[in-house]
Amino acid sequence: MIHPTNSDKNQLDALISHGMSYRQTNNNLAESYKEQRQSFLLKRLQLQAQIMLVSGLTLIAFFLWANSQLQGKIYAFKIGIVVELFTLICWGLCKTSIGRRYPNLIFLSLCWSVTCAVQIDVALLFNNLEPRSNIWTLMFLTQATIVPVQWWLHLISQIGTIICYLILYLLYSPQLTHPSAFYIEQGLYLFWTCMICVFSVYLYERLRKKEFYARKAMELAQYKSERLLLNILPEMIAEQLKQQPTTIADSFLEVTVLFADIVGFTELSSRTSPAELVELLNTIFCLFDQLAERHGVEKIKTIGDAYMAVAGLPNQSNNHAPAIANMALDMQKAVATFNEENNQSFCIRVGISTGPVVAGVIGLKKFAYDLWGDTVNTASRMESHGIAGSIQVCEASYQFLKDNYLLEKRGLIQVKGKGEMMTYILKGINVKT
């Protein structure tokens, strides 16, 4: 399973946001791929530098052993140290801002420090311009296998090496010791080595790019499905369902449940077009969703023009009653603001109850996270038997809110299926506290 990082999630959020055009999406993905490729290039350049340092030591040791004369040993040692020093500098630059800004130059520098610098040193010290195709081939193959990015960089490094040799040849005009067929053979081997390296890097780059876009598409699809799942289920329940797709049911001893209903909405539906009706309802419920998120309340569902929410689950909290009370008061303010801005006259009727519930996920298709228990029924009755524009709470909720909120005693009312119940009207926050 793919788990995007925070930066990936931010990018995925941007990609699926409204108004993001197809071209913008492709541009963002291309920029992301470029950043990933550059990071990969820097890491592989450091690895190449480390390998070059180790292999360079073995070559220095060989030439010290192979040269019988002291002067030859000294020259071999000097050339080897110069190349090792240059490689060490490139390795250090990979870890700096210069390396992060110009990785391509470091790539070429590492290549030419062996292929060109060695050739120049040999020409100056020994006046020997025999093509050293073995070390060229070794370098081209090394970079193609360790740093397989940007085929044109490999082509530039190879062309640069050949141009360097040709310039030296024209300057010194040496007498070559082997017949021309020998050099043609070496040239053919070198040519096809270069072509195979460049072509393999090109194929690798294409494959890597396709894999990147495919992975991003998979991440995007998965992220969309996860966001959709989180719109249906609480995050904790969604994670539990993904890890263990079995029946999910939990008991909570103390939560606070809210039911809200838009008064007169049924009558409005008979004289309003369906599209306008749904748009009005959606706007109001979106405001409620924002309030639920702000107050740490879990929206459970909407039933027609009724809105149900709960505080205290699935993450248990001792602040469940105040959270629901604050949200209910803000819901009244939100509807009042909506009426002013849209020339409407809606009001809501809210019911609140506190107590134990059972919560779980039911169904195989269109499953939902729901609540059951007497507390849920009581909250529903508090709403349906309430007063338009008011917030009615039961006795249990009153005990949690009485010290910090303004509540007006409504008295005993006859509640269907419950008998007589003492109820209170929530008016606001007690500013004295």
Side-chain angles (χ1 to χ4, degrees):
M1 182 174 289
I2 299 170
H3 297 284
T5 62
N6 288 334
S7 60
D8 286 336
K9 287 182 178 179
N10 292 337
Q11 184 187 62
L12 292 173
D13 277 328
L15 291 178
I16 63 179
S17 63
H18 297 293
M20 180 70 75
S21 69
Y22 179 78
R23 179 175 293 180
Q24 287 174 315
T25 300
N26 280 341
N27 288 341
N28 284 346
L29 285 174
E31 190 63 30
S32 176
Y33 174 72
K34 184 179 178 182
E35 291 175 2
Q36 270 205 13
R37 185 179 62 183
Q38 183 157 318
S39 175
F40 174 80
L41 175 58
L42 279 172
K43 291 179 180 178
R44 288 303 183 90
L45 284 174
Q46 293 183 53
L47 176 61
Q48 182 194 352
Q50 294 170 0
I51 293 174
M52 285 175 62
L53 288 171
V54 175
S55 60
L57 290 176
T58 61
L59 290 173
I60 291 173
F62 168 76
F63 285 114
L64 288 176
W65 170 77
N67 283 285
S68 57
Q69 297 181 357
L70 179 61
Q71 188 177 7
K73 293 179 183 292
I74 294 173
Y75 285 154
F77 182 76
K78 285 181 178 180
I79 295 173
I81 290 299
V82 168
V83 173
E84 292 285 272
L85 182 61
F86 203 89
T87 304
L88 194 61
I89 292 172
C90 289
W91 183 21
L93 288 175
C94 288
K95 302 178 181 181
T96 66
S97 59
I98 296 175
R100 288 188 290 271
R101 190 177 302 174
Y102 306 109
N104 295 347
L105 294 181
I106 295 178
F107 177 93
L108 295 174
S109 298
L110 282 171
C111 178
W112 291 338
S113 67
V114 173
T115 59
C116 294
V118 170
Q119 194 67 54
I120 292 170
D121 288 338
V122 170
L124 293 175
L125 295 176
F126 301 105
N127 195 22
N128 182 358
L129 283 173
E130 287 288 333
R132 294 180 174 268
S133 58
N134 288 341
I135 198 165
W136 297 349
T137 301
L138 177 62
M139 175 51 65
F140 299 152
L141 287 172
T142 299
Q143 289 198 313
T145 53
I146 297 178
V147 198
V149 292
Q150 298 174 317
W151 63 269
W152 54 268
L153 262 181
H154 292 262
L155 187 60
I156 290 174
S157 67
Q158 295 162 8
I159 292 174
T161 297
I162 296 170
I163 290 175
C164 175
Y165 173 77
L166 293 177
I167 290 174
L168 290 173
Y169 184 84
L170 292 174
L171 290 175
Y172 288 88
S173 300
Q175 295 295 322
L176 301 179
T177 58
H178 297 283
S180 59
F182 172 82
Y183 297 108
I184 293 174
E185 180 186 358
Q186 295 300 310
L188 286 172
Y189 283 132
L190 180 63
F191 172 80
W192 284 113
T193 298
C194 294
M195 289 300 98
I196 291 171
C197 287
V198 170
F199 188 61
S200 65
V201 171
Y202 170 74
L203 292 177
Y204 177 86
E205 177 75 6
R206 283 188 60 184
L207 178 62
R208 185 174 176 86
K209 195 169 186 178
K210 286 181 179 179
E211 288 178 346
F212 173 83
Y213 277 87
R215 182 172 61 84
K216 282 297 179 182
M218 188 182 300
E219 286 180 6
L220 184 59
Q222 180 178 330
Y223 195 58
K224 282 182 177 180
S225 66
E226 287 186 357
R227 283 184 55 165
L228 182 61
L229 187 62
L230 291 177
N231 284 335
I232 301 171
L233 304 174
E235 183 175 1
M236 180 186 296
I237 301 301
E239 287 298 324
Q240 186 177 346
L241 190 64
K242 286 191 294 184
Q243 295 176 9
Q244 190 177 4
T246 57
T247 302
I248 296 176
D250 298 292
S251 296
F252 297 89
L253 296 178
E254 200 173 79
V255 301
T256 299
V257 181
L258 173 148
F259 273 89
D261 182 78
I262 301 175
V263 180
F265 196 82
T266 303
E267 291 79 5
L268 179 66
S269 64
S270 63
R271 50 187 172 84
T272 307
S273 68
E276 185 180 356
L277 187 72
V278 172
E279 181 64 28
L280 287 171
L281 189 62
N282 180 63
T283 303
I284 295 173
F285 281 178
C286 284
L287 293 173
F288 292 172
D289 288 346
Q290 292 172 4
L291 292 175
E293 187 172 355
R294 182 190 307 170
H295 292 290
V297 171
E298 192 69 49
K299 173 187 175 181
I300 299 301
K301 60 185 175 182
T302 59
I303 309 169
D305 61 331
Y307 189 95
M308 178 184 177
V310 63
L313 63 79
N315 295 313
Q316 298 186 40
S317 168
N318 295 326
N319 199 42
H320 51 85
I324 287 290
N326 292 336
M327 178 175 172
L329 293 170
D330 283 347
M331 288 168 76
Q332 288 184 327
K333 296 176 184 176
V335 171
T337 302
F338 174 83
N339 288 335
E340 290 178 7
E341 295 175 350
N342 297 273
N343 194 26
Q344 296 290 339
S345 57
F346 292 124
C347 69
I348 58 171
R349 186 171 52 234
V350 181
I352 296 175
S353 176
T354 301
V357 298
V358 173
V361 178
I362 57 172
L364 294 175
K365 295 182 178 180
K366 297 183 180 180
F367 53 83
Y369 186 69
D370 210 344
L371 308 180
W372 300 273
D374 185 63
T375 302
V376 178
N377 296 332
T378 301
S380 178
R381 297 291 184 267
M382 288 296 100
E383 179 272 314
S384 60
H385 291 68
I387 304 170
S390 69
I391 304 169
Q392 183 165 253
V393 305
C394 68
E395 179 69 33
S397 298
Y398 169 78
Q399 295 300 326
F400 281 93
L401 300 173
K402 63 182 181 179
D403 295 332
N404 299 311
Y405 291 84
L406 298 175
L407 294 116
E408 180 182 289
K409 186 176 182 180
R410 184 184 180 190
L412 292 170
I413 63 170
Q414 191 69 29
V415 177
K416 181 181 178 181
K418 303 288 293 185
E420 287 190 337
M421 293 188 69
M422 180 64 68
T423 61
Y424 302 82
I425 303 299
L426 175 63
K427 294 290 187 178
I429 300 175
N430 188 351
V431 293
K432 294 182 180 180
T433 60

